[in-house]
Amino acid sequence: MSAGGGKKAIVAALTANAGIAVAKFVGAVITGSASMMAEAVHSVADTANQGLLLFGQRAAAKDADELHQFGYGRNRYFYSFVVALVLFTLGSVYAIYEGIHKVQHPEELSQPIVAIVILAIAIGLETYSFLTAVRESRPLKGSASWWRFIRNSRSPELPVVLLEDTGALIGLLIAFAAVGLTVLTDDPIYDGIGTLAIGVLLGIIAIVLIVEMKSLLIGESATPDEDRAIRENLVDGTLITSVIHVKSEYIGPEELLVAAKVAIAPDLDIAGIAGAIDAAEMRVRAAVPNARLIYLEPDLYRTL
């Protein structure tokens, strides 16, 4: 994923969530709805998260220096991990706390029609943000399922935005149903139950993001398809006869480090070895553009 493509989805989400947050807060104050307030806090968390993602992209663009000789690409993983923590603490924990309070001490809603109108508008804006993220993700997803895309993507922003927007849409539907049931039954406990459900939903999404971003932050290897392409293109069958072993790690969303030991033809001189290594690097970079750092160690294949 290019930073530019991800930025378009992030900006769309930030714009939508900022507007939604203001509308929800107004609605929560007017109606006294706990589920509306939980959704408002959720939108504030999402807006802050988009800002963190943009800041992470900017921080990752810094040039390498003596202290960080492989660059700052992992900043995008770090700030995406922070996003997951914010979603859990500010979104999930608050909603669960507020939901428990409202179940124990239900309060009547005032002007619930205001909440319904605001939620309907919010669903429209969130749908726009979600569809933008889906459109930006499709070229990268290919034929894989959405879940596999989220699990396998080495770029963090689009999976984060997709999960956030999915959670936001489901949360809005829960809040809509909670307010509707409160009006139909004249029992405000449904508003508290809806708030609890929103909190649990956000907690699940946050935990999925925490697990995925932690894995990226620690360092993930090339995808199975990339690993296969690397191994196939290291070998030319003449000068380089086989791959003894290969290791890889993403040091940034678009920067893959590849280290390999390759078996070379035994009759090559120093110039021939250097030429074979250079040619192998060119083949790998052509097949896997993210493989920007390649270190190859020539050796002779030996059987034990």
Side-chain angles (χ1 to χ4, degrees), residues 3-289:
K7 188 173 292 185
K8 184 176 180 180
I10 296 169
V11 170
L14 187 150
T15 303
N17 285 318
I20 291 169
V22 173
K24 287 176 181 175
F25 271 119
V26 172
V29 170
I30 292 174
T31 63
S33 169
S35 58
M36 177 70 82
M37 181 59 74
E39 274 298 301
V41 173
H42 176 194
S43 291
V44 169
D46 281 353
T47 304
N49 287 344
Q50 314 316 321
L52 285 170
L53 292 177
L54 290 173
F55 185 82
Q57 286 193 344
R58 182 177 179 180
K62 291 174 61 178
D63 293 331
D65 53 31
E66 282 300 313
L67 183 60
H68 299 281
Q69 297 182 356
F70 287 117
Y72 289 82
R74 277 203 173 102
N75 268 313
R76 285 167 65 181
Y77 297 150
F78 171 75
Y79 284 101
S80 296
F81 182 75
V82 173
V83 162
L85 295 179
V86 170
L87 187 63
F88 184 80
T89 55
L90 189 57
S92 176
V93 173
Y94 171 81
I96 291 174
Y97 168 80
E98 188 69 11
I100 292 172
H101 175 73
K102 291 298 183 180
V103 168
Q104 292 175 338
H105 307 286
E107 296 178 9
E108 296 293 332
L109 299 184
S110 60
Q111 303 184 47
I113 190 64
V114 174
I116 292 174
V117 171
I118 290 175
L119 287 171
I121 294 172
I123 289 172
L125 290 172
E126 202 67 66
T127 299
Y128 158 74
S129 175
F130 176 74
L131 292 177
T132 301
V134 168
R135 185 167 58 251
E136 292 291 306
S137 302
R138 282 193 187 279
L140 299 171
K141 182 181 80 73
S143 59
S145 66
W146 285 107
W147 178 245
R148 185 171 292 277
F149 167 68
I150 291 170
R151 291 297 310 274
N152 290 343
S153 176
R154 300 303 190 259
S155 296
E157 292 88 356
L158 283 176
V160 169
V161 174
L162 278 170
L163 282 174
E164 279 190 348
D165 286 350
T166 300
L169 280 172
I170 296 173
L172 285 167
L173 293 174
I174 291 172
F176 195 92
V179 173
L181 284 171
T182 298
V183 172
L184 290 174
T185 63
D186 198 29
D187 188 349
I189 196 171
Y190 289 107
D191 187 43
I193 293 172
T195 308
L196 270 174
I198 291 170
V200 172
L201 170 69
L202 295 182
I204 292 171
I205 291 175
I207 290 170
V208 171
L209 282 176
I210 287 170
V211 171
E212 290 302 313
M213 294 308 119
K214 170 179 170 288
S215 181
L216 288 171
L217 191 57
I218 292 172
E220 291 190 356
S221 63
T223 66
D225 288 342
E226 289 171 336
D227 183 75
R228 190 179 308 111
I230 290 168
R231 292 175 182 275
E232 290 174 352
N233 285 278
L234 282 174
V235 176
D236 63 5
T238 304
L239 302 180
I240 297 180
T241 58
S242 65
V243 175
I244 298 173
H245 65 74
V246 60
K247 296 183 183 298
S248 60
E249 183 174 308
Y250 268 93
I251 58 176
E254 287 114 24
E255 193 160 21
L256 178 63
L257 169 66
V258 177
K261 179 179 284 192
V262 294
I264 61 171
D267 56 346
L268 287 180
D269 57 15
I270 296 297
I273 293 172
I277 294 298
D278 291 343
E281 290 180 358
M282 291 178 62
R283 291 193 302 271
V284 170
R285 289 194 177 98
V288 183

